[in-house]
Amino acid sequence: QLQASGGGLVQAGDPLRLSCQASGLSASLYYVMGWFRQAPGKEREFVATIRWSTGSTDYADFVKGRFTISRDIAKGTLYLQMSSLKAEDTAIYYCAARNGATLGSSSAMYRFWGQGTQVTVSS
C-alpha cells in the first residue's frame, strides 16, 4: 500500500516536498519506486524513479536539475523534492512501486500505485 502526501498550492519558484509512505511491500530491498504525474486533459507521465536498494535514480528530462527523488529505507518512505516549480508542474502526483531492480519510465511497469496528491503552482 502506498500513501502519497505533501501536495498543495504554491507560487511559481517555490519548493515543495512530496512523501510516499510504503507499507506491505516485500520485506527485501528488491524493488523500484517512482513518481508520475497527470495534468488535466493529459496522459500520466513519468517524473522520476529510484532503485530502493542502491539509490540509483533516473529522471524525466523536464525535471532534471529541479526535482530530486530519494528514499529513507528505515522509514519506508519515498520523497520527491521539487524546486523552482513552474505552472506547468501543476498535476496530480502519484507514487508507484514494482518488484525488481530495473529502473523504468513506463507506468505499465509498476504494479502498485498510491492515490495521488495534488500539486498546484500559481504563476
Side-chain angles (χ1 to χ4, degrees), residues 33-79:
M33 295 191 74
W35 288 99
F36 291 77
R37 69 185 189 185
Q38 187 166 17
K42 295 187 177 181
E43 293 188 352
R44 190 170 298 188
E45 63 180 354
F46 166 73
V47 176
T49 182
I50 187 167
R51 185 178 293 120
W52 198 255
S53 58
T54 64
S56 298
T57 60
D58 192 19
Y59 295 89
D61 287 342
F62 57 80
V63 301
K64 286 182 179 178
R66 298 193 300 126
F67 293 8
T68 301
I69 188 172
S70 63
R71 86 282 190 239
D72 186 322
I73 294 176
K75 294 182 179 179
T77 304
L78 175 73
Y79 300 102

Side-chain angles (χ1 to χ4, degrees), residues 77-98:
T77 304
L78 175 73
Y79 300 102
L80 185 67
Q81 179 68 52
M82 304 184 291
S83 61
S84 303
L85 282 164
K86 307 174 183 179
E88 51 263 44
D89 294 318
T90 294
I92 299 174
Y93 283 72
Y94 298 90
C95 57
R98 61 179 293 268

